[in-house]
Protein backbone atom coordinates (compact mmCIF):
# COMPACT_ATOMS: atom_id res chain seq x y z
CA UNK A 1 0.00 0.00 0.00
CA UNK A 2 1.24 3.49 -0.79
CA UNK A 3 -0.07 7.04 -0.70
CA UNK A 4 -2.33 7.89 -3.63
CA UNK A 5 -1.36 11.58 -3.84
CA UNK A 6 1.83 13.57 -3.73
CA UNK A 7 2.74 15.24 -0.43
CA UNK A 8 1.91 18.66 -1.85
CA UNK A 9 -1.63 17.53 -2.63
CA UNK A 10 -2.42 16.37 0.93
CA UNK A 11 -3.17 18.57 3.95
CA UNK A 12 -4.71 18.03 7.39
CA UNK A 13 -6.69 20.21 9.74
CA UNK A 14 -8.39 19.44 13.06
CA UNK A 15 -11.62 21.36 12.59
CA UNK A 16 -14.60 18.95 12.49
CA UNK A 17 -16.77 19.18 15.65
CA UNK A 18 -18.95 16.26 14.57
CA UNK A 19 -16.32 13.50 14.58
CA UNK A 20 -15.39 11.09 17.36
CA UNK A 21 -12.54 8.61 17.47
CA UNK A 22 -14.11 5.95 19.73
CA UNK A 23 -17.68 5.28 18.67
CA UNK A 24 -17.60 1.96 20.52
CA UNK A 25 -17.80 3.88 23.79
CA UNK A 26 -21.48 4.45 23.04
CA UNK A 27 -22.64 0.82 23.40
CA UNK A 28 -20.01 -0.11 26.01
CA UNK A 29 -20.90 2.74 28.36
CA UNK A 30 -24.60 2.09 27.72
CA UNK A 31 -23.96 -1.40 29.06
CA UNK A 32 -22.31 0.14 32.14
CA UNK A 33 -25.42 2.29 32.63
CA UNK A 34 -27.67 -0.76 32.38
CA UNK A 35 -25.63 -2.38 35.14
CA UNK A 36 -26.03 0.75 37.33
CA UNK A 37 -22.34 1.59 37.63
CA UNK A 38 -22.99 5.26 38.46
CA UNK A 39 -25.66 4.34 41.03
CA UNK A 40 -23.31 1.85 42.71
CA UNK A 41 -20.61 4.52 43.00
CA UNK A 42 -23.07 7.07 44.44
CA UNK A 43 -24.23 4.52 47.00
CA UNK A 44 -20.84 3.12 48.04
CA UNK A 45 -18.11 5.75 47.53
CA UNK A 46 -18.15 8.60 50.05
CA UNK A 47 -15.07 10.82 49.94
CA UNK A 48 -16.36 13.10 52.68
CA UNK A 49 -14.07 15.92 53.72
CA UNK A 50 -11.74 15.62 50.72
CA UNK A 51 -9.94 18.84 49.84
CA UNK A 52 -10.63 20.84 46.66
CA UNK A 53 -14.07 19.20 46.33
CA UNK A 54 -12.30 16.02 45.21
CA UNK A 55 -15.17 13.88 46.50
CA UNK A 56 -17.91 15.67 44.56
CA UNK A 57 -19.66 13.83 41.71
CA UNK A 58 -17.78 10.58 42.35
CA UNK A 59 -20.11 8.79 39.91
CA UNK A 60 -19.15 11.07 37.00
CA UNK A 61 -15.45 10.76 37.83
CA UNK A 62 -15.46 6.98 38.11
CA UNK A 63 -17.37 6.55 34.85
CA UNK A 64 -15.03 9.01 33.13
CA UNK A 65 -11.98 6.99 34.23
CA UNK A 66 -13.61 3.71 33.20
CA UNK A 67 -14.55 5.16 29.78
CA UNK A 68 -11.00 6.43 29.29
CA UNK A 69 -9.59 3.01 30.15
CA UNK A 70 -12.03 1.37 27.73
CA UNK A 71 -10.64 3.67 25.05
CA UNK A 72 -7.08 2.62 25.92
CA UNK A 73 -5.85 5.22 28.44
CA UNK A 74 -3.00 3.94 30.60
CA UNK A 75 -2.20 7.17 32.47
CA UNK A 76 -4.14 10.07 33.96
CA UNK A 77 -3.14 12.41 31.14
CA UNK A 78 -4.42 9.89 28.58
CA UNK A 79 -7.94 10.33 30.00
CA UNK A 80 -8.08 13.53 27.96
CA UNK A 81 -8.92 11.25 25.01
CA UNK A 82 -12.57 11.66 26.07
CA UNK A 83 -12.62 15.40 25.36
CA UNK A 84 -12.58 15.73 21.60
CA UNK A 85 -14.93 16.41 18.71
CA UNK A 86 -18.55 15.47 19.33
CA UNK A 87 -17.97 13.55 22.57
CA UNK A 88 -19.83 16.20 24.65
CA UNK A 89 -22.86 15.66 22.41
CA UNK A 90 -22.87 11.93 23.19
CA UNK A 91 -21.83 11.94 26.85
CA UNK A 92 -22.38 14.32 29.73
CA UNK A 93 -20.30 14.62 32.87
CA UNK A 94 -16.89 14.10 31.27
CA UNK A 95 -14.21 15.33 33.66
CA UNK A 96 -10.77 16.76 32.88
CA UNK A 97 -7.65 14.69 33.66
CA UNK A 98 -6.56 17.17 36.35
CA UNK A 99 -9.91 16.74 38.11
CA UNK A 100 -9.67 12.97 37.88
CA UNK A 101 -6.10 13.01 39.25
CA UNK A 102 -7.24 15.08 42.23
CA UNK A 103 -10.07 12.60 42.78
CA UNK A 104 -7.73 9.59 42.81
CA UNK A 105 -5.24 11.26 45.16
CA UNK A 106 -8.06 11.83 47.68
CA UNK A 107 -8.46 8.09 48.22
CA UNK A 108 -7.53 6.44 51.50
CA UNK A 109 -7.49 2.74 52.38
CA UNK A 110 -11.12 2.95 53.47
CA UNK A 111 -12.17 4.63 50.22
CA UNK A 112 -10.35 1.91 48.28
CA UNK A 113 -12.44 -0.68 50.13
CA UNK A 114 -15.57 1.25 49.13
CA UNK A 115 -14.46 1.02 45.52
CA UNK A 116 -13.95 -2.74 45.95
CA UNK A 117 -17.60 -2.96 46.99
CA UNK A 118 -18.56 -1.16 43.77
CA UNK A 119 -16.45 -3.62 41.80
CA UNK A 120 -18.19 -6.60 43.40
CA UNK A 121 -21.65 -5.20 42.75
CA UNK A 122 -20.76 -4.24 39.19
CA UNK A 123 -19.43 -7.72 38.39
CA UNK A 124 -22.61 -9.28 39.76
CA UNK A 125 -24.72 -6.95 37.58
CA UNK A 126 -22.64 -7.68 34.48
CA UNK A 127 -23.01 -11.42 35.07
CA UNK A 128 -26.78 -10.99 35.45
CA UNK A 129 -27.19 -8.90 32.27
CA UNK A 130 -24.78 -10.74 29.95
CA UNK A 131 -23.57 -14.31 29.27
CA UNK A 132 -20.32 -13.46 31.04
CA UNK A 133 -19.89 -16.77 32.89
CA UNK A 134 -21.77 -19.51 31.05
CA UNK A 135 -22.12 -22.68 33.10
CA UNK A 136 -21.45 -20.89 36.40
CA UNK A 137 -24.31 -22.74 38.09
CA UNK A 138 -22.50 -26.04 37.46
CA UNK A 139 -18.77 -25.38 37.95
CA UNK A 140 -16.49 -22.38 38.36
CA UNK A 141 -12.78 -21.91 39.01
CA UNK A 142 -11.38 -19.14 41.19
CA UNK A 143 -7.69 -18.54 40.43
CA UNK A 144 -5.45 -16.55 42.76
CA UNK A 145 -2.05 -15.16 41.81
CA UNK A 146 0.21 -12.19 42.36
CA UNK A 147 2.34 -10.12 40.04
CA UNK A 148 4.99 -7.44 40.23
CA UNK A 149 4.73 -4.15 38.37
CA UNK A 150 7.96 -2.25 37.90
CA UNK A 151 7.78 1.44 38.78
CA UNK A 152 10.26 4.28 38.52
CA UNK A 153 11.04 7.11 40.87
CA UNK A 154 11.75 6.99 44.58
CA UNK A 155 8.74 9.17 45.44
CA UNK A 156 6.21 6.47 44.53
CA UNK A 157 4.70 5.23 47.77
CA UNK A 158 4.97 1.51 48.46
CA UNK A 159 7.50 0.87 45.69
CA UNK A 160 10.25 -1.35 47.10
CA UNK A 161 12.94 -3.80 46.10
CA UNK A 162 11.31 -7.21 46.34
CA UNK A 163 11.67 -10.39 44.33
CA UNK A 164 13.66 -8.78 41.51
CA UNK A 165 17.10 -7.57 42.50
CA UNK A 166 17.65 -3.89 41.85
CA UNK A 167 14.10 -3.32 40.53
CA UNK A 168 11.52 -1.31 42.45
CA UNK A 169 8.01 -2.75 42.17
CA UNK A 170 4.51 -2.68 43.50
CA UNK A 171 2.99 -6.09 44.13
CA UNK A 172 -0.69 -6.46 43.09
CA UNK A 173 -2.67 -9.53 44.13
CA UNK A 174 -5.62 -10.64 42.00
CA UNK A 175 -8.24 -13.34 41.81
CA UNK A 176 -10.13 -14.32 38.66
CA UNK A 177 -13.30 -16.33 38.04
CA UNK A 178 -13.94 -18.51 35.00
CA UNK A 179 -15.94 -21.54 33.95
CA UNK A 180 -14.94 -24.38 31.60
CA UNK A 181 -16.64 -22.40 28.81
CA UNK A 182 -15.60 -18.80 29.51
CA UNK A 183 -12.61 -16.49 29.63
CA UNK A 184 -11.68 -15.30 33.15
CA UNK A 185 -13.01 -12.10 34.70
CA UNK A 186 -11.48 -10.34 37.68
CA UNK A 187 -13.15 -11.15 41.00
CA UNK A 188 -11.06 -8.93 43.25
CA UNK A 189 -7.70 -7.15 43.39
CA UNK A 190 -5.41 -5.69 46.03
CA UNK A 191 -2.48 -3.31 45.67
CA UNK A 192 0.43 -4.13 47.99
CA UNK A 193 3.94 -2.94 48.74
CA UNK A 194 6.73 -4.25 46.57
CA UNK A 195 8.28 -6.60 49.15
CA UNK A 196 5.00 -7.96 50.54
CA UNK A 197 5.00 -11.76 50.74
CA UNK A 198 2.85 -13.46 48.11
CA UNK A 199 0.65 -15.08 50.74
CA UNK A 200 0.28 -12.04 53.01
CA UNK A 201 -3.42 -11.54 53.68
CA UNK A 202 -4.25 -14.46 51.40
CA UNK A 203 -6.95 -16.12 53.58
CA UNK A 204 -9.04 -12.94 53.77
CA UNK A 205 -8.44 -12.26 50.09
CA UNK A 206 -9.54 -15.79 49.15
CA UNK A 207 -12.69 -15.43 51.26
CA UNK A 208 -13.61 -12.25 49.40
CA UNK A 209 -12.92 -13.81 46.00
CA UNK A 210 -15.11 -16.83 46.79
CA UNK A 211 -17.92 -14.60 48.04
CA UNK A 212 -17.67 -12.45 44.90
CA UNK A 213 -17.91 -15.56 42.74
CA UNK A 214 -21.19 -16.50 44.44
CA UNK A 215 -22.55 -12.97 43.90
CA UNK A 216 -21.64 -13.33 40.21
CA UNK A 217 -23.81 -16.45 39.93
CA UNK A 218 -21.25 -19.19 40.61
CA UNK A 219 -23.54 -21.27 42.80
CA UNK A 220 -22.39 -24.73 41.69
CA UNK A 221 -19.08 -26.42 42.41
CA UNK A 222 -16.37 -23.84 43.10
CA UNK A 223 -12.69 -24.79 42.98
CA UNK A 224 -9.97 -22.44 44.19
CA UNK A 225 -6.71 -22.91 42.27
CA UNK A 226 -3.39 -21.40 43.30
CA UNK A 227 0.34 -21.98 43.14
CA UNK A 228 2.66 -23.02 45.95
CA UNK A 229 2.92 -19.55 47.52
CA UNK A 230 -0.68 -19.98 48.70
CA UNK A 231 -0.21 -23.48 50.11
CA UNK A 232 -1.05 -22.77 53.74
CA UNK A 233 -3.62 -23.79 56.30
CA UNK A 234 -5.33 -20.39 56.34
CA UNK A 235 -6.17 -20.47 52.62
CA UNK A 236 -7.58 -24.00 52.85
CA UNK A 237 -9.60 -23.05 55.93
CA UNK A 238 -11.07 -20.12 54.00
CA UNK A 239 -12.15 -22.54 51.25
CA UNK A 240 -13.81 -24.83 53.80
CA UNK A 241 -15.69 -21.92 55.39
CA UNK A 242 -16.99 -20.86 51.98
CA UNK A 243 -18.02 -24.39 50.99
CA UNK A 244 -15.52 -24.45 48.12
CA UNK A 245 -12.95 -27.01 47.00
CA UNK A 246 -9.24 -26.27 46.67
CA UNK A 247 -6.48 -27.28 44.25
CA UNK A 248 -3.12 -25.84 45.31
CA UNK A 249 0.41 -26.58 44.14
CA UNK A 250 2.54 -27.74 47.08
CA UNK A 251 6.16 -27.60 46.00
CA UNK A 252 8.60 -30.32 47.12
CA UNK A 253 9.06 -29.96 50.88
CA UNK A 254 10.54 -32.97 52.79
CA UNK A 255 7.12 -34.41 53.69
CA UNK A 256 5.93 -34.18 50.09
CA UNK A 257 9.17 -35.76 48.84
CA UNK A 258 8.73 -38.75 51.13
CA UNK A 259 5.13 -39.20 49.97
CA UNK A 260 6.04 -38.90 46.28
CA UNK A 261 8.90 -41.40 46.50
CA UNK A 262 6.58 -43.89 48.21
CA UNK A 263 4.34 -44.13 45.13
CA UNK A 264 4.78 -47.57 43.49
CA UNK A 265 5.88 -47.68 39.86
CA UNK A 266 2.69 -49.36 38.69
CA UNK A 267 0.52 -46.51 40.08
CA UNK A 268 1.60 -43.99 37.43
CA UNK A 269 -0.88 -43.30 34.60
CA UNK A 270 0.18 -41.92 31.23
CA UNK A 271 -1.33 -38.60 30.15
CA UNK A 272 -0.97 -36.83 26.79
CA UNK A 273 -1.65 -33.15 26.19
CA UNK A 274 -3.52 -32.14 23.00
CA UNK A 275 -1.00 -29.32 22.63
CA UNK A 276 2.46 -29.12 24.14
CA UNK A 277 2.70 -27.16 27.40
CA UNK A 278 5.78 -25.49 28.89
CA UNK A 279 7.46 -27.09 31.87
CA UNK A 280 7.12 -24.51 34.69
CA UNK A 281 10.70 -25.13 35.86
CA UNK A 282 12.64 -25.29 32.60
CA UNK A 283 10.36 -23.82 29.94
CA UNK A 284 10.77 -26.98 27.84
CA UNK A 285 7.71 -27.94 25.81
CA UNK A 286 6.26 -31.26 26.92
CA UNK A 287 3.38 -33.27 25.50
CA UNK A 288 3.53 -36.41 27.65
CA UNK A 289 3.68 -37.05 31.37
CA UNK A 290 2.65 -39.51 34.04
CA UNK A 291 0.24 -38.91 36.90
CA UNK A 292 -0.33 -40.71 40.19
CA UNK A 293 -2.39 -40.04 43.30
CA UNK A 294 -2.06 -40.51 47.04
CA UNK A 295 -5.72 -40.62 48.16
CA UNK A 296 -5.08 -39.76 51.82
CA UNK A 297 -2.30 -37.27 52.51
CA UNK A 298 -2.26 -35.19 55.70
CA UNK A 299 -0.89 -31.70 55.20
CA UNK A 300 0.43 -29.41 57.96
CA UNK A 301 1.03 -32.40 60.22
CA UNK A 302 3.29 -30.36 62.51
CA UNK A 303 0.48 -27.95 63.37
CA UNK A 304 -2.24 -28.45 65.95
CA UNK A 305 -4.84 -31.09 65.12
CA UNK A 306 -7.59 -28.63 64.13
CA UNK A 307 -5.36 -27.14 61.40
CA UNK A 308 -4.33 -30.42 59.78
CA UNK A 309 -5.98 -31.25 56.47
CA UNK A 310 -6.30 -34.69 54.89
CA UNK A 311 -7.05 -34.76 51.16
CA UNK A 312 -5.69 -36.01 47.84
CA UNK A 313 -2.09 -35.45 46.74
CA UNK A 314 -1.88 -35.70 42.96
CA UNK A 315 1.57 -35.76 41.35
CA UNK A 316 2.57 -35.22 37.73
CA UNK A 317 6.04 -36.29 36.66
CA UNK A 318 7.93 -35.53 33.44
CA UNK A 319 11.37 -36.50 32.24
CA UNK A 320 14.09 -34.12 33.37
CA UNK A 321 15.67 -33.22 30.04
CA UNK A 322 18.45 -31.31 31.79
CA UNK A 323 19.71 -34.54 33.39
CA UNK A 324 20.20 -37.36 30.85
CA UNK A 325 19.29 -40.84 32.02
CA UNK A 326 22.02 -43.26 33.08
CA UNK A 327 22.45 -45.79 30.27
CA UNK A 328 23.66 -49.38 30.70
CA UNK A 329 24.06 -52.43 28.51
CA UNK A 330 20.36 -53.20 28.81
CA UNK A 331 19.26 -49.67 28.00
CA UNK A 332 18.03 -46.99 30.36
CA UNK A 333 18.58 -47.88 34.03
CA UNK A 334 17.70 -44.78 36.03
CA UNK A 335 15.32 -42.31 34.39
CA UNK A 336 15.38 -38.87 36.01
CA UNK A 337 12.02 -37.22 36.70
CA UNK A 338 10.71 -33.82 37.67
CA UNK A 339 7.73 -33.91 40.04
CA UNK A 340 4.87 -31.39 40.21
CA UNK A 341 2.50 -32.19 43.11
CA UNK A 342 -0.69 -30.43 44.10
CA UNK A 343 -3.05 -30.84 47.03
CA UNK A 344 -6.79 -31.00 46.36
CA UNK A 345 -10.13 -32.13 47.69
CA UNK A 346 -12.04 -31.75 44.44
CA UNK A 347 -14.08 -34.84 43.42
CA UNK A 348 -12.95 -35.25 39.79
CA UNK A 349 -11.03 -38.31 38.60
CA UNK A 350 -7.24 -38.12 38.82
CA UNK A 351 -6.46 -37.22 35.19
CA UNK A 352 -9.32 -34.73 34.96
CA UNK A 353 -8.25 -33.09 38.23
CA UNK A 354 -4.71 -32.76 36.89
CA UNK A 355 -5.90 -31.16 33.65
CA UNK A 356 -8.14 -28.73 35.51
CA UNK A 357 -5.40 -27.77 37.94
CA UNK A 358 -2.93 -27.12 35.11
CA UNK A 359 -5.50 -24.76 33.56
CA UNK A 360 -4.77 -22.41 36.48
CA UNK A 361 -2.33 -20.79 34.04
CA UNK A 362 -5.23 -18.81 32.53
CA UNK A 363 -4.71 -16.26 35.30
CA UNK A 364 -1.39 -15.38 33.64
CA UNK A 365 -3.32 -14.35 30.52
CA UNK A 366 -5.29 -11.87 32.59
CA UNK A 367 -2.10 -10.48 34.12
CA UNK A 368 -0.53 -10.07 30.65
CA UNK A 369 -3.73 -8.46 29.37
CA UNK A 370 -3.75 -6.09 32.32
CA UNK A 371 -0.14 -5.01 31.85
CA UNK A 372 -0.86 -4.34 28.18
CA UNK A 373 -3.72 -2.04 29.22
CA UNK A 374 -4.23 0.41 32.05
CA UNK A 375 -1.63 -1.28 34.24
CA UNK A 376 1.10 -0.43 31.75
CA UNK A 377 1.66 2.41 34.24
CA UNK A 378 0.73 2.99 37.84
CA UNK A 379 0.26 6.69 37.27
CA UNK A 380 0.38 8.30 40.72
CA UNK A 381 2.95 8.76 43.43
CA UNK A 382 0.19 8.07 45.98
CA UNK A 383 -0.23 4.42 46.99
CA UNK A 384 -4.01 4.57 47.47
CA UNK A 385 -4.47 6.42 44.17
CA UNK A 386 -2.73 3.52 42.46
CA UNK A 387 -4.87 1.07 44.45
CA UNK A 388 -7.99 2.85 43.18
CA UNK A 389 -6.57 2.87 39.64
CA UNK A 390 -6.04 -0.91 39.85
CA UNK A 391 -9.63 -1.51 40.99
CA UNK A 392 -11.02 0.77 38.29
CA UNK A 393 -9.04 -1.21 35.71
CA UNK A 394 -10.55 -4.44 37.07
CA UNK A 395 -14.03 -2.94 36.56
CA UNK A 396 -13.06 -1.84 33.04
CA UNK A 397 -11.67 -5.26 32.19
CA UNK A 398 -14.90 -6.95 33.28
CA UNK A 399 -16.97 -4.41 31.33
CA UNK A 400 -15.03 -5.15 28.14
CA UNK A 401 -15.35 -8.89 28.73
CA UNK A 402 -19.13 -8.49 29.14
CA UNK A 403 -19.35 -6.42 25.95
CA UNK A 404 -17.42 -9.12 24.11
CA UNK A 405 -19.74 -11.81 25.49
CA UNK A 406 -22.73 -9.90 24.09
CA UNK A 407 -21.09 -9.41 20.69
CA UNK A 408 -20.09 -12.84 19.33
CA UNK A 409 -18.49 -16.15 20.37
CA UNK A 410 -15.16 -14.92 18.96
CA UNK A 411 -15.24 -11.66 20.92
CA UNK A 412 -16.31 -13.48 24.09
CA UNK A 413 -12.77 -14.92 24.26
CA UNK A 414 -10.76 -12.20 22.53
CA UNK A 415 -8.18 -10.12 24.38
CA UNK A 416 -9.09 -6.61 25.48
CA UNK A 417 -6.70 -5.21 22.86
CA UNK A 418 -8.70 -7.02 20.17
CA UNK A 419 -11.98 -5.80 21.64
CA UNK A 420 -10.74 -2.22 21.48
CA UNK A 421 -9.56 -2.59 17.89
CA UNK A 422 -12.77 -4.24 16.65
CA UNK A 423 -15.44 -2.59 18.77
CA UNK A 424 -14.22 0.56 20.54
CA UNK A 425 -11.70 2.41 18.39
CA UNK A 426 -14.13 3.01 15.55
CA UNK A 427 -14.29 6.57 14.14
CA UNK A 428 -17.72 8.06 13.52
CA UNK A 429 -19.41 11.28 12.46
CA UNK A 430 -22.58 12.32 14.24
CA UNK A 431 -25.60 13.89 12.53
CA UNK A 432 -28.51 15.53 14.35
CA UNK A 433 -32.07 15.44 13.06
CA UNK A 434 -35.43 15.75 14.84
CA UNK A 435 -33.76 15.58 18.28
CA UNK A 436 -32.08 12.33 17.33
CA UNK A 437 -28.40 11.54 16.85
CA UNK A 438 -27.17 9.18 14.11
CA UNK A 439 -23.66 7.75 14.15
CA UNK A 440 -22.17 7.42 10.66
CA UNK A 441 -19.41 4.82 10.82
CA UNK A 442 -16.84 3.74 8.19
CA UNK A 443 -18.19 1.88 5.18
CA UNK A 444 -16.97 -1.73 4.96
CA UNK A 445 -15.75 -1.81 8.56
CA UNK A 446 -14.54 -5.44 8.88
CA UNK A 447 -16.42 -5.98 12.15
CA UNK A 448 -19.56 -4.08 11.20
CA UNK A 449 -21.92 -6.97 11.95
CA UNK A 450 -20.41 -7.60 15.40
CA UNK A 451 -20.46 -3.90 16.30
CA UNK A 452 -24.06 -3.50 15.14
CA UNK A 453 -25.15 -6.54 17.12
CA UNK A 454 -23.60 -5.11 20.31
CA UNK A 455 -25.14 -1.69 19.68
CA UNK A 456 -28.63 -3.08 19.02
CA UNK A 457 -28.47 -5.41 22.02
CA UNK A 458 -27.64 -2.75 24.60
CA UNK A 459 -30.04 -0.19 23.11
CA UNK A 460 -33.03 -2.52 23.10
CA UNK A 461 -35.45 -2.01 25.99
CA UNK A 462 -34.38 -4.18 28.95
CA UNK A 463 -36.26 -7.44 29.37
CA UNK A 464 -38.90 -7.35 32.15
CA UNK A 465 -37.64 -8.66 35.47
Amino acid sequence: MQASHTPAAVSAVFDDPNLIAHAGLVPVMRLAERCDLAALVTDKVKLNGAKNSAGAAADAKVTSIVAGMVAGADSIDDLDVLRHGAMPALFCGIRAPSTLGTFLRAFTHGHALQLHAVHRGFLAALAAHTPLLPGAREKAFIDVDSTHKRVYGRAKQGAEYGRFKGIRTLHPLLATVCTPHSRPVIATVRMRRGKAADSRGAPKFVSEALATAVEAGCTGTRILRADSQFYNAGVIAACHRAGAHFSITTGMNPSIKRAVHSIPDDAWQHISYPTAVPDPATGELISDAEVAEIPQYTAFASRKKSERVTARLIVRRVRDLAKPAVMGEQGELFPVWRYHPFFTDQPAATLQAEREHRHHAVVEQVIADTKAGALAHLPSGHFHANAAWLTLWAMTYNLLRAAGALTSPFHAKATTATLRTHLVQVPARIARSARRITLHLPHNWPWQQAWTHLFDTVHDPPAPA
Side-chain angles (χ1 to χ4, degrees):
M1 187 175 70
Q2 62 183 22
S4 60
H5 294 75
T6 63
V10 178
S11 61
V13 59
F14 289 86
D15 65 349
D16 195 328
N18 294 314
L19 293 180
I20 59 172
H22 301 93
L25 284 174
V26 176
V28 172
M29 296 311 294
R30 179 71 70 182
L31 176 59
E33 288 179 17
R34 281 203 169 186
C35 295
D36 295 324
L37 175 57
L40 284 168
V41 174
T42 300
D43 182 51
K44 303 288 187 182
V45 180
K46 310 291 184 183
L47 273 72
N48 299 326
K51 297 179 180 179
N52 300 323
S53 300
D59 55 340
K61 293 171 183 175
V62 165
T63 51
S64 292
I65 295 173
V66 168
M69 289 180 173
V70 168
D74 63 10
S75 68
I76 295 174
D77 285 344
D78 284 354
L79 298 173
D80 212 19
V81 73
L82 301 178
R83 303 199 302 164
H84 70 270
M87 290 291 284
L90 293 171
F91 300 98
C92 59
I94 298 174
R95 296 300 193 264
S98 57
T99 302
L100 299 176
T102 301
F103 171 68
L104 291 172
R105 289 188 293 274
F107 270 74
T108 64
H109 176 66
H111 298 137
L113 293 180
Q114 294 173 0
L115 200 58
H116 291 154
V118 174
H119 168 73
R120 289 178 62 171
F122 189 48
L123 176 58
L126 288 170
H129 285 80
T130 69
L132 187 61
L133 293 167
R137 295 181 183 275
E138 286 75 43
K139 179 182 284 189
F141 300 100
I142 296 87
D143 295 298
V144 179
D145 205 353
S146 65
T147 185
H148 285 264
K149 177 57 189 170
R150 184 175 187 176
V151 296
Y152 301 87
R154 297 182 178 274
K156 198 174 287 282
Q157 293 177 350
E160 296 169 332
Y161 298 113
R163 177 179 300 175
F164 304 102
K165 185 176 180 180
I167 297 178
R168 298 168 62 85
T169 68
L170 288 171
H171 192 182
L173 185 65
L174 76 160
T176 64
V177 182
C178 69
T179 71
H181 313 291
S182 75
R183 192 176 173 94
V185 295
I186 299 176
T188 187
V189 291
R190 285 290 186 277
M191 182 63 74
R192 302 180 307 162
R193 299 188 313 161
K195 65 180 181 182
D198 284 347
S199 61
R200 181 177 180 180
K204 183 177 180 181
F205 184 80
V206 165
S207 296
E208 181 178 337
L210 292 170
T212 302
V214 173
E215 294 173 8
C218 300
T219 55
T221 301
R222 289 168 296 143
I223 301 173
L224 178 97
R225 300 183 296 198
D227 57 24
S228 57
Q229 285 85 357
F230 301 94
Y231 175 61
N232 63 63
V235 168
I236 293 176
C239 293
H240 286 161
R241 288 193 299 270
H245 298 286
F246 60 85
S247 182
I248 305 176
T249 301
T250 66
M252 289 291 286
N253 61 43
S255 175
I256 297 290
K257 283 183 180 179
R258 287 193 297 270
V260 168
H261 291 311
S262 71
I263 299 174
D265 288 339
D266 59 0
W268 295 95
Q269 305 177 57
H270 181 264
I271 184 172
S272 294
Y273 305 114
T275 56
V277 297
D279 186 293
T282 66
E284 297 275 358
L285 290 177
I286 57 174
S287 58
D288 294 281
E290 294 181 352
V291 179
E293 175 179 344
I294 300 174
Q296 297 287 321
Y297 174 78
T298 300
F300 320 117
S302 62
R303 304 176 72 107
K304 57 185 180 180
K305 190 173 181 180
S306 62
E307 295 180 352
R308 299 172 189 170
V309 182
T310 300
R312 308 162 66 189
L313 183 69
I314 298 177
V315 186
R316 174 170 59 91
R317 70 179 187 180
V318 297
R319 289 296 182 90
D320 190 344
L321 301 179
K323 299 176 182 178
V326 177
M327 301 296 291
E329 294 180 359
Q330 297 178 343
E332 186 178 57
L333 295 179
F334 304 108
V336 182
W337 301 94
R338 302 183 71 92
Y339 296 95
H340 306 282
F342 66 96
F343 190 52
T344 183
D345 67 345
Q346 74 139 308
T350 303
L351 295 186
Q352 180 183 347
E354 198 280 330
R355 289 190 181 96
E356 290 180 347
H357 178 78
R358 187 164 35 83
H359 198 247
H360 166 66
V362 296
V363 70
E364 298 292 346
Q365 298 175 5
V366 178
I367 292 172
D369 209 340
T370 299
K371 289 183 178 179
L375 211 63
H377 303 93
L378 288 167
S380 178
H382 294 251
F383 180 85
H384 296 302
N386 287 326
W389 182 266
L390 176 65
T391 305
L392 289 164
W393 164 241
M395 294 161 58
T396 305
Y397 178 90
N398 292 344
L399 176 59
L400 283 168
R401 293 257 57 85
L406 282 178
T407 302
S408 71
F410 169 80
H411 291 96
K413 296 190 175 183
T415 64
T416 54
T418 298
L419 293 176
R420 284 197 200 93
T421 300
H422 291 190
L423 305 176
V424 178
Q425 296 170 342
V426 189
R429 176 176 57 83
I430 71 167
R432 301 175 178 87
S433 176
R435 297 185 180 179
R436 295 177 60 87
I437 290 180
T438 301
L439 292 172
H440 293 274
L441 294 101
H443 180 60
N444 284 339
W445 183 254
W447 306 282
Q448 172 184 339
Q449 185 175 357
W451 195 98
T452 303
H453 178 72
L454 173 62
F455 182 88
D456 291 344
T457 301
V458 298
H459 280 79
D460 282 343

